[in-house]
């Protein structure tokens, strides 16, 4: 057996001979809405908002001015018409600057992104979402409920049909990000008026119509600026034109479910991938800055153990970024993953959030004790990245989905 070492930067492998077949036309460069100046301003404010647990109204104003809240809105409706891959790239950049701001705006982007996906596939039931986003409405997402591990496939919230076809919702939703600023709330509840045919009814309520109260109960370990307060729905009204789905409880093949999972999981993965990117940058900076008395004052970037740790974090981070963009592109291009689609989506979320935790941990080990100070940026990223384990799909649910995609449903 012959063994060879991997090439280093001092000796690159020989390139293969060029192919005779013509290369395909290059893909257009991704469009961007977030300037470096905007990202610098957002980053400069992140520590203050984290310390105070305050909502970043100033960040949101900058994002609105940049047209970011209409990123998914088609150009013919007044938006930027970005693809999921393009928005995922932007969310990575925004999260590297301010994770809580990125996670907050993520919820608006999920609602508008799933609407854009459905409309592009001929379903105009959610076209109103894109029109209202273009008019300046801010959407939030209120689905999670305490003690409801069915998540999207069941609900403790009551949905009562009104004579005109609208619905009133009564219940409590937790983790309602953007709670101080949303003007439209996408939510759902259970209509069990017919016990033999219960339905999960999805709709959008408007804040000005009343029936909603945001509790002042968000004081979290990390992601403190998202303002993810609980929302009490007390007969909150979704008008008939804003009721867009009525589905039986449990998993569904309805295109809405796929669009929701695809956009939610991809954009969530983008936020945590952005945290990993920033943590790696901070780790590299720390290695170049710190010096070792034991090594005669040399910087730690010359220490083989530190170099290995940085490389290990970079290996993980590079893989996270590549898989994120590849799967986002597959959604945009309607790739055929068949029965494996949901496994791919939940797998992306789990891998992205776990990879980000690994990269942040590695960067902290490189940076040393200084990163243990509460005011240090790496300490903030360490707290922020922990939130990833709580978002759907959680580790247990994702493993069940992947196992079913390969082995079929469990028997008995």
């Amino acid at each position: 057996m012959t063994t060879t070492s991997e090439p280093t930067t001092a000796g690159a492998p020989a390139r293969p001979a060029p192919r005779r077949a013509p290369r395909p036309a290059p893909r257009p460069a991704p469009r961007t809405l977030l300037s470096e100046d905007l990202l610098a301003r957002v980053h400069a404010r992140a520590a203050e908002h984290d310390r105070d647990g305050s909502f970043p109204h100033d960040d949101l104003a900058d994002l609105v001015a940049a047209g970011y809240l209409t990123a998914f809105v088609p150009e013919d409706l007044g938006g930027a018409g970005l693809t999921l891959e393009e928005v995922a790239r932007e969310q990575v950049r925004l999260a590297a600057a301010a994770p809580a701001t990125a996670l907050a705006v993520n919820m608006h982007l999920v609602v508008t992104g799933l609407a854009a996906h459905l409309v592009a596939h001929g379903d105009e039931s959610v076209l109103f979402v894109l029109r209202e986003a273009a008019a300046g409405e801010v959407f939030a997402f209120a689905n999670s409920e305490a003690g409801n591990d069915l998540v999207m496939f069941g609900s403790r919230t009551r949905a009562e049909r009104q004579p005109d076809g609208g619905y009133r919702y009564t219940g409590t939703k937790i983790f309602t990000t953007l709670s101080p600023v949303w003007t439209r709330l996408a939510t759902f509840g259970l209509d069990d008026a017919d016990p033999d045919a219960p339905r999960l009814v999805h709709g959008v309520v408007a804040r000005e119509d009343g029936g909603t109260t945001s509790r002042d109960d968000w004081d979290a370990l990390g992601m403190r600026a998202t303002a993810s307060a609980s929302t009490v729905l007390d007969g909150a009204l979704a008008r008939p034109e804003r009721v867009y789905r009525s589905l039986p409880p449990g998993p569904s093949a309805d295109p809405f479910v796929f669009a929701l999972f695809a956009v939610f999981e991809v954009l969530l993965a983008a936020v945590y991938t952005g945290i990993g990117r920033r943590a790696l940058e901070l780790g590299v900076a720390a290695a170049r800055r710190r010096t070792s008395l034991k090594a005669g004052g040399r910087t730690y970037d010359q220490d083989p153990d530190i170099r290995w740790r940085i490389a290990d974090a970079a290996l993980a981070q590079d893989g996270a970024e590549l898989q994120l963009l590849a799967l986002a592109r597959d959604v945009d291009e309607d790739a055929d993953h068949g029965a494996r689609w949901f496994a791919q989506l939940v797998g992306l979320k789990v891998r992205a959030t776990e990879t980000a935790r690994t990269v942040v941990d590695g960067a902290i080990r490189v940076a040393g004790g200084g990163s243990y100070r509460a005011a240090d940026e790496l300490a903030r990223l360490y707290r922020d990245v922990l939130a990833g384990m709580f978002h759907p799909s959680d580790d247990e649910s994702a493993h069940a989905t992947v196992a079913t995609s390969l082995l079929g449903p469990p028997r008995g």
Side-chain angles (χ1 to χ4, degrees):
M1 178 183 294
T2 301
T3 60
T4 60
S5 60
E6 293 298 323
T8 68
T9 53
R15 293 179 178 272
R19 297 180 300 171
R20 293 183 180 275
R23 293 180 178 180
R27 300 175 71 247
R31 295 166 290 179
T32 182
L33 297 174
L34 304 179
S35 69
E36 292 300 326
D37 181 62
L38 184 155
L39 292 174
R41 294 197 303 273
V42 167
H43 181 256
R45 297 186 288 246
E48 176 184 353
H49 287 305
D50 171 74
R51 184 187 66 241
D52 299 340
S54 56
F55 184 79
H57 291 280
D58 32 18
D59 292 356
L60 185 64
D62 279 349
L63 294 171
V64 169
Y68 197 53
L69 270 64
T70 59
F72 277 121
V73 176
E75 293 178 280
D76 61 359
L77 293 179
L82 266 57
T83 66
L84 181 59
E85 181 189 352
E86 289 172 321
V87 176
R89 288 179 183 274
E90 295 287 73
Q91 281 296 87
V92 171
R93 298 173 66 225
L94 182 58
T101 296
L103 187 61
V105 77
N106 219 50
M107 298 304 109
H108 172 89
L109 293 173
V110 166
V111 179
T112 55
L114 75 89
H117 181 89
L118 289 172
V119 169
H121 289 77
D123 180 351
E124 297 194 348
S125 65
V126 287
L127 181 60
F128 74 94
V129 169
L130 301 175
R131 287 174 172 159
E132 293 189 2
E137 304 296 348
V138 178
F139 285 82
F141 203 57
N143 281 353
S144 298
E145 300 165 339
N148 176 14
D149 57 359
L150 291 172
V151 194
M152 294 300 302
F153 301 143
S155 180
R156 290 181 164 182
T157 296
R158 188 168 71 254
E160 296 178 285
R161 184 178 173 85
Q162 305 301 295
D164 63 357
Y167 271 84
R168 290 192 178 275
Y169 296 99
T170 303
T172 300
K173 302 290 186 177
I174 60 174
F175 301 144
T176 311
T177 302
L178 294 174
S179 59
V181 297
W182 64 261
T183 61
R184 298 289 185 267
L185 188 66
T187 191
F188 80 116
L190 180 66
D191 176 3
D192 58 359
D194 181 354
D196 296 325
R199 308 291 291 183
L200 294 172
V201 181
H202 297 260
V204 172
V205 304
R207 189 161 227 156
E208 68 260 25
D209 288 340
T212 67
T213 303
S214 294
R215 291 177 175 167
D216 185 15
D217 62 358
W218 185 249
D219 186 15
L221 174 68
M223 294 295 189
R224 289 171 49 75
T226 61
S228 301
S230 300
T231 300
V232 179
L233 304 173
D234 186 13
L237 176 65
R239 299 181 182 277
E241 65 273 16
R242 294 195 182 115
V243 176
Y244 53 86
R245 276 303 185 278
S246 176
L247 303 172
S252 171
D254 190 284
F256 162 74
V257 176
F258 173 79
L260 174 58
F261 267 85
V263 178
F264 184 90
E265 301 290 54
V266 167
L267 293 186
L268 191 66
V271 169
Y272 288 88
T273 300
I275 294 176
R277 177 185 286 186
R278 179 56 179 164
L280 182 58
E281 291 174 354
L282 292 171
V284 169
R288 289 173 171 165
R289 181 183 67 251
R290 296 179 68 206
T291 57
S292 170
L293 284 176
K294 185 173 62 175
R298 285 195 307 170
T299 52
Y300 272 91
D301 60 355
Q302 300 306 304
D303 184 297
D305 293 330
I306 296 297
R307 294 175 68 85
W308 183 93
R309 195 175 293 281
I310 289 289
D312 195 50
L315 286 168
Q317 180 64 26
D318 288 347
E321 299 204 15
L322 290 169
Q323 67 175 308
L324 166 70
L325 300 177
L327 197 60
R329 190 178 311 129
D330 279 357
V331 175
D332 288 331
E333 297 177 355
D334 294 322
D336 184 11
H337 289 295
R340 293 276 294 155
W341 250 121
F342 285 96
Q344 298 282 7
L345 293 167
V346 301
L348 173 68
K349 180 267 174 182
V350 170
R351 291 190 298 273
T353 54
E354 292 300 312
T355 296
R357 289 179 64 195
T358 298
V359 174
V360 171
D361 182 78
I364 284 177
R365 292 174 186 272
V366 169
S371 63
Y372 196 61
R373 294 180 296 109
D376 190 85
E377 185 175 357
L378 272 172
R380 172 162 52 84
L381 295 184
Y382 187 77
R383 291 183 286 105
D384 284 347
V385 81
L386 294 177
M389 72 178 75
F390 299 108
H391 302 295
S393 292
D394 62 23
D395 203 25
E396 294 81 8
S397 175
H399 278 77
T401 297
V402 173
T404 297
S405 75
L406 296 170
L407 304 172
R411 294 186 295 273

